[in-house]
Amino acid sequence: MVEGGPVKADKTEFTECWKISSKNPYIMKLAFAAGIGGLLFGYDTGVISGALLYIKEDFEEVDKSTFLQELIVSTCVAGAIIGAAVGGYANDRIGRRKTIMVADVLFFLGSIIMAIAPVPAVIIVGRVLVGLGVGMASMTAPLYISEASPAKIRGAMVSTNGLLITGGQFLSYLINLAFTRAPGTWRWMLGVAGLPALIQFLLMWSLPESPRWLYRENYVHEAKEILEKLYPEDEVDREIQALRESVESERAMEESIGKDMWSKLKGAFTDKVVRRGLYAGVTVQVAQQFVGINTVMYYSPTIVQFAGFASKSVALALSLITSGLNAVGSIISMMVVDKYGRRRLMIISMFGIISCLIILAVVFRQASLGAPGIDFVDTKHFGSNVTCPSYLENFHKPKWGCTQCLKAKCSFCSNVADKTAPGACLIDTKVMQNECEAEHRVFYEEGCPSKIGFLAVLLLGLYIISYSPGMGTAPWIVNSEIYPLRYRGVGGGIAAVANWTSNLLVSLTFLTMTQTLTVAGAFLMFAAISFIMLVAIFLFVPETKGLQFEEVEKLLRDDYKPGFFKVKAGDQGKGKAPA
């Protein structure tokens, strides 16, 4: 996942982080408590992928409606867009700590509502509440950690939030797998998120507010008390002075461009440097979603079923691999992003993504063409009254097979001797699933049995490996560096909304695309969009590695020109753009 991004931190910073936090456990307590928000963020965006398989079993209207499935998934994202906007306002009005606690209440209420939902509409209400919490947590948790961490280890401490997001997604797949045989399956999967939310609420109750927010609100004495717990005695006065200068500078900027949001937005779009920064920042955030990553994170088990793995527990187990690789990719990114650069990593990442998407499309197309046919005698064996009506109308057609059977909203019962041999096309009901499985056959509802289905799972893993170290983390780093200080908040906010909106659009349409264009067509379309986004990254996004904020601003002002190779270090000082 891809939202909430980690901040850069080098190897020295991690070493220093371990040294300082081991001497002062209070720092780690603050970071861990706030970091649970990142864990919840990752968990609640990932858990729906497995829960959806079992929600469809309990509610026939969900099973029969692709739009309802997409709505259950995407309403969390819609809530997150609103939550991010409300969270920005709440951060300034009531503080970071209270905003996190409000997010916890929303997490908790949403989780309980989903766990006891009697109808799909109530699940959607719960998803909206959880989404509001996700949106607030995605921007507040890293902000709180950043402002409550010593400056020399700030990057490393905030990076832990990014790790906890991908860790939360991995945990969600583990929880999904653990509850596959428990009564209530999806209710446990969705409801268990209420527990860490309750723990974080209780922890935050005992922790202080961000010292920066306190100082800005003229609680100078309280801010100093917190800084005394975070810094050695000889560094406290210096930090207070730095805090005073930072807050005064921020107030001066507000006086020059206006304090209200409309003034800031107007100023951002009329300023050439900020506008060019937005071209870059919004481009990489939209690209992060339009490569299709959240179709994999939200629908991974469903995609695995499309590849021919009918068992829900097997689909969840295989999906666990993609989530684990995403977490590993985040760690790799933190190790190499300051060495190889943000732009280069994103371009290399995009080439890998496009290649994987094209090959995935070919694999799914070949699997569809090679799908087993329908055996008329085997189908009649179950009885005429349970035979798929569409098959009875088209059985004389030579191309009618498993793929056409599933497109007709029916199910495929595999051959008892060979899953890839012709089988039976039956009505899609729980009764027929039981009858099919009673004969030691496999019951397929989403995808057909295939000899090459394992290649799709392998390619999904390669796709994640290509995505995570580059497009997974670099867009957030670029957005933390590309805007002038006075517009960093509004620029990052615009880009974040672009990210969430793109996320919503992709997650709300993926299943419909698989029905309209086929799974192969959907992946091919993502490949085409990814190519367009690659060109946009090449044209609009400069390299910001190793540059001071003032140098980035000068780079944008001097008409950034794209290039394939990095210019010499001496040229950067002359205002020439790095590639």
Side-chain angles (χ1 to χ4, degrees):
M1 197 182 118
V2 288
E3 304 83 359
V7 174
K8 58 176 181 176
D10 58 30
K11 196 179 295 183
T12 305
E13 204 168 350
F14 280 110
T15 305
E16 192 70 20
C17 175
W18 174 254
K19 189 186 299 182
I20 292 176
S21 60
S22 62
K23 291 180 180 177
N24 187 356
Y26 185 73
I27 297 170
M28 190 56 72
K29 180 183 177 182
L30 288 175
F32 172 75
I36 295 176
L39 185 79
L40 284 166
F41 175 12
Y43 184 88
D44 279 307
T45 54
V47 71
I48 195 63
S49 63
L52 186 62
L53 301 180
Y54 296 92
I55 291 172
K56 290 192 295 182
E57 276 191 355
D58 281 6
F59 299 109
E60 187 177 351
E61 60 266 46
V62 177
D63 189 33
K64 300 300 182 184
S65 172
T66 298
F67 175 72
L68 201 50
Q69 293 172 39
E70 291 171 331
L71 199 61
I72 289 172
V73 171
S74 60
T75 44
C76 180
V77 183
I81 297 172
I82 301 170
V86 173
Y89 175 79
N91 277 325
D92 289 336
R93 291 289 296 175
I94 64 175
R96 288 57 160 141
R97 172 176 163 270
K98 289 181 180 177
T99 301
I100 291 174
M101 294 172 74
V102 170
D104 287 328
V105 171
L106 292 169
F107 275 128
F108 186 80
L109 289 177
S111 299
I112 299 303
I113 287 171
M114 289 187 293
I116 63 173
V119 293
V122 178
I123 298 176
I124 292 171
V125 171
R127 291 286 290 167
V128 171
L129 288 174
V130 163
L132 290 170
V134 164
M136 295 175 78
S138 69
M139 62 181 306
T140 309
L143 184 62
Y144 180 87
I145 296 171
S146 174
E147 294 179 351
S149 300
K152 63 176 70 174
I153 62 169
R154 187 168 294 144
M157 296 301 286
V158 177
S159 292
T160 60
N161 185 69
L163 279 177
L164 284 167
I165 292 172
T166 53
Q169 290 172 335
F170 183 73
L171 178 64
S172 71
Y173 282 87
L174 282 176
I175 295 293
N176 283 347
L177 196 57
F179 285 117
T180 52
R181 298 189 183 279
T185 50
W186 62 270
R187 297 184 185 276
W188 285 102
M189 294 172 181
L190 298 175
V192 77
L195 183 59
L198 180 61
I199 292 172
Q200 185 180 43
F201 183 89
L202 296 174
L203 286 173
M204 294 306 296
W205 188 277
S206 63
L207 291 175
E209 181 52 80
S210 151
R212 180 181 179 82
W213 185 84
L214 289 171
Y215 196 96
R216 183 177 171 80
E217 297 298 312
N218 296 317
Y219 296 106
V220 179
H221 178 71
E222 289 83 350
K224 184 177 180 180
E225 285 183 340
I226 297 167
L227 290 173
E228 286 172 347
K229 293 181 179 180
L230 299 174
Y231 290 90
E233 188 177 348
D234 58 335
E235 296 181 21
V236 174
D237 289 339
R238 185 179 64 203
E239 291 302 319
I240 290 175
Q241 177 62 27
L243 190 58
R244 181 186 300 116
E245 291 174 358
S246 175
V247 170
E248 288 175 355
S249 174
E250 188 175 307
R251 286 171 176 165
M253 289 177 190
E254 287 180 349
E255 289 177 6
S256 65
I257 65 175
K259 191 172 182 179
D260 63 283
M261 183 56 67
W262 174 248
S263 298
K264 291 179 180 179
L265 286 172
K266 185 179 178 182
F269 285 105
T270 54
D271 187 299
K272 181 176 78 170
V273 173
V274 183
R275 195 167 59 247
R276 288 176 175 171
L278 284 169
Y279 292 159
V282 172
T283 292
V284 295
Q285 292 286 40
V286 171
Q288 187 187 62
Q289 296 302 323
F290 277 4
V291 298
I293 180 58
N294 278 321
T295 63
V296 176
M297 298 313 295
Y298 293 151
Y299 298 108
S300 185
T302 302
I303 294 172
V304 171
Q305 286 190 324
F306 285 154
F309 296 89
S311 168
K312 294 179 177 62
S313 57
V314 171
L316 286 170
L318 291 173
S319 300
L320 189 63
I321 298 172
T322 62
S323 183
L325 289 172
N326 193 30
V328 171
S330 297
I331 298 172
I332 294 172
S333 176
M334 289 159 61
M335 295 170 63
V336 302
V337 71
D338 281 324
K339 181 178 181 180
Y340 296 108
R342 299 89 168 96
R343 184 174 186 268
R344 181 179 295 178
L345 271 184
M346 286 190 289
I347 289 175
I348 293 172
S349 180
M350 289 295 284
F351 275 114
I353 288 167
I354 293 168
S355 300
C356 288
L357 287 171
I358 291 173
I359 301 172
L360 268 169
V362 172
V363 168
F364 275 106
R365 176 61 177 165
Q366 288 302 117
S368 176
L369 293 174
I374 304 299
D375 187 311
F376 183 80
V377 175
D378 198 24
T379 301
K380 285 294 184 181
H381 154 72
F382 288 93
S384 299
N385 60 325
V386 295
T387 300
C388 175
S390 295
Y391 172 64
L392 291 174
E393 296 172 6
N394 298 277
F395 72 91
H396 58 282
K397 295 182 179 178
K399 289 187 178 180
W400 185 268
C402 173
T403 302
Q404 290 70 32
C405 177
L406 298 187
K407 278 185 179 179
K409 302 295 184 182
C410 294
S411 57
F412 179 80
C413 183
S414 71
N415 186 287
V416 68
D418 180 2
K419 287 190 294 186
T420 58
C425 184
L426 309 170
I427 59 173
D428 187 11
T429 65
K430 189 69 177 177
V431 172
M432 289 315 305
Q433 180 178 356
N434 293 336
E435 285 192 28
C436 174
E437 292 174 349
E439 296 186 6
H440 306 290
R441 303 172 181 233
V442 181
F443 192 74
Y444 293 87
E445 298 175 277
E446 299 291 351
C448 296
S450 172
K451 292 180 180 179
I452 61 172
F454 72 95
L455 288 176
V457 178
L458 179 63
L459 285 163
L460 282 176
L462 290 174
Y463 169 87
I464 291 293
I465 291 173
S466 299
Y467 169 86
S468 188
M471 289 307 299
T473 54
W476 296 99
I477 297 174
V478 168
N479 272 277
S480 72
E481 300 170 326
I482 201 72
Y483 309 110
L485 181 61
R486 61 190 178 279
Y487 287 107
R488 192 156 300 146
V490 68
I494 292 170
V497 169
N499 183 289
W500 281 113
T501 304
S502 304
N503 185 339
L504 176 63
L505 185 61
V506 170
S507 61
L508 190 57
T509 57
F510 176 66
L511 292 180
T512 300
M513 281 195 294
T514 62
Q515 289 191 341
T516 307
L517 305 175
T518 73
V519 180
F523 280 120
L524 201 59
M525 192 178 82
F526 280 126
I529 294 172
S530 296
F531 178 77
I532 295 170
M533 299 314 299
L534 171 61
V535 173
I537 289 171
F538 177 77
L539 293 175
F540 297 128
V541 184
E543 180 57 78
T544 57
K545 176 178 80 77
L547 298 180
Q548 298 293 329
F549 291 129
E550 294 77 11
E551 293 177 303
V552 174
E553 190 169 341
K554 186 177 187 303
L555 182 63
L556 295 172
R557 184 177 291 109
D558 291 347
D559 294 326
Y560 160 72
K561 298 295 190 299
F564 281 108
F565 302 102
K566 185 178 176 181
V567 298
K568 296 178 182 178
D571 290 337
Q572 288 189 25
K574 300 173 186 176
K576 296 183 181 180

